Amino acid sequence: MAKIKPSKGAPYARILGVGGYRPTRVVPNEVILETIDSSDEWIRSRSGIETRHWASDEETVAAMSIEASGKAIADAGIDASRIGAVVVSTVSHFSQTPAVATEIAHKLGTDKAAAFDISAGCAGFGYGLTLAKGMVVEGSAEYVLVIGVERLSDLTDLEDRATAFLFGDGAGAVIVGPSQEPAIGPTVWGSEGDKSETIKQTVPWTDYRDGTVAKFPAITQEGQAVFRWAVFEMAKVAQQALDAAGITADELDVFIPHQANVRIIDSMVKTLKLPEHVTVARDIRTTGNTSAASIPLAMERLLATGEAKSGDTALVIGFGAGLVYAATVVTLP
């Protein structure tokens, strides 16, 4: 019986560079109030959101991804031709096939990189990061580009009082490459499909195509159910990720949760008993909920503003539609 030759990858993997792109149009709450019966004070108190970014026709999923990726590649100090795989997490690329990752890989100048899209909602960046770590350590790619990108303005019902104010557009990207020491911890991830109805698309595309419904599909959610699940269950997952990495809350430098709602973020900080020295990402205030893009966008902003620094230990956790989740501890690039 023949024996398969073992893979020769890196001992460990790490994030080497990060980049982000926010569309040029900034949308304040006042614009949202044109179509729903609410107030700026209500939106801020319920979500923490003051503004969000909405993409123009030219700021496509691919275009935003390429902008963010270029910054991540430059930050990592590598040539795009060395990227062995491109992983894109998105739910708002409306061409079923081919994967938008293939277009991005080509336009960036990678050398025939493996390229594919994943659909894991707001946990998508964590899923992509885990896949990238595996590829680097296994040896199938030296460098992997992981992108979280959304144009959720295309899937927002501006007459839905529960969600109209939540969503924004943008792209975040990281380069994952080899490391001589652990820099991406074990991932705690999973799904709770019995709760899949709490965040979902209103109707299938086929209902709109066939004329069963006249309104274009949008994202809807049961706000209170999602809030309770995120606050109580995701704090447990975050703690499991800390335990798996052998890190205590006192040893953390940064906490970067999915930017879903500032009240969820604050509640998780309290439940995890994070010390005051831990920097907490609250990018949602000016970026809104960008689903798969929210964690890398928040990471990029913290590093750009100096609120976090290279080498800091960060806990990241994404959670959302599915319901799915992924949490891990990383060393910041």
Side-chain angles (χ1 to χ4, degrees):
M1 182 181 293
K3 292 184 178 181
I4 297 173
K5 186 178 179 180
S7 301
K8 291 185 178 180
Y12 306 102
R14 69 182 303 120
I15 300 174
L16 298 171
V18 60
Y21 180 81
R22 293 170 174 80
T24 55
R25 183 187 176 191
V26 177
V27 180
N29 289 337
E30 285 72 22
V31 172
I32 308 299
L33 297 175
E34 295 173 4
T35 53
I36 61 171
D37 180 17
S38 187
S39 68
D40 178 62
E41 190 279 330
W42 187 88
I43 293 174
R44 291 181 187 231
S45 65
R46 297 286 292 182
S47 67
I49 299 173
E50 302 167 8
T51 60
R52 74 285 291 146
H53 296 254
W54 283 356
S56 66
D57 290 343
E58 292 74 28
E59 291 168 318
T60 63
V61 165
M64 292 191 293
S65 297
I66 290 166
E67 289 290 334
S69 299
K71 295 175 184 178
I73 292 167
D75 193 40
I78 66 166
D79 190 272
S81 63
R82 300 182 69 186
I83 294 172
V86 177
V87 183
V88 178
S89 178
T90 185
V91 298
S92 49
H93 176 60
F94 294 147
S95 293
Q96 190 70 40
T97 192
V100 71
T102 59
E103 176 185 350
I104 295 166
H106 169 67
K107 289 185 175 178
L108 287 173
T110 66
D111 185 19
K112 298 181 180 179
F116 58 95
D117 299 350
I118 58 175
S119 176
C122 306
F125 176 74
Y127 276 48
L129 186 64
T130 303
L131 293 173
K133 172 187 174 183
M135 283 185 266
V136 171
V137 173
E138 187 270 341
S140 58
E142 183 181 13
Y143 297 100
V144 181
L145 171 62
V146 180
I147 303 167
V149 56
E150 301 292 2
R151 272 182 56 119
L152 293 181
S153 57
D154 292 332
L155 286 168
T156 299
D157 180 353
L158 293 178
E159 296 179 346
D160 182 356
R161 190 172 184 270
T163 60
F165 58 91
L166 283 176
F167 302 120
D169 303 336
V174 299
I175 295 292
V176 177
S179 174
Q180 293 302 309
E181 58 185 29
I184 301 175
T187 300
V188 178
W189 57 353
S191 65
E192 297 187 27
D194 59 318
K195 301 180 180 67
S196 61
E197 292 294 303
T198 56
I199 306 174
K200 64 179 183 178
Q201 185 171 302
T202 49
V203 295
W205 300 115
T206 48
D207 284 6
Y208 182 72
R209 178 199 66 188
D210 298 339
T212 306
V213 296
K215 204 168 190 178
F216 193 75
I219 297 174
T220 187
Q221 70 174 25
E222 298 173 14
Q224 287 302 313
V226 173
F227 181 87
R228 289 193 297 270
W229 175 77
V231 168
F232 296 108
E233 297 303 321
M234 291 305 97
K236 297 176 186 176
V237 171
Q239 184 59 56
Q240 290 169 12
L242 288 174
D243 295 341
I247 298 292
T248 66
D250 289 341
E251 294 174 298
L252 269 184
D253 300 305
V254 185
F255 179 43
I256 311 177
H258 164 49
Q259 302 295 291
N261 181 305
V262 77
R263 293 191 302 147
I264 291 175
I265 295 170
D266 291 344
S267 294
M268 291 181 70
V269 168
K270 184 177 180 180
T271 302
L272 289 168
K273 298 179 180 178
L274 297 184
E276 288 188 7
H277 76 261
V278 176
T279 297
V280 179
R282 294 185 176 87
D283 191 47
I284 188 171
R285 297 190 186 279
T286 56
T287 306
N289 180 343
T290 56
S291 188
S294 78
I295 290 175
L297 277 173
M299 182 185 296
E300 185 261 352
R301 174 162 281 174
L302 288 176
L303 288 166
T305 60
E307 295 173 82
K309 63 184 185 298
S310 175
D312 278 353
T313 300
L315 168 63
V316 299
I317 179 170
F319 46 85
L323 294 170
V324 295
Y325 54 88
T328 188
V329 175
V330 303
T331 301
L332 295 182

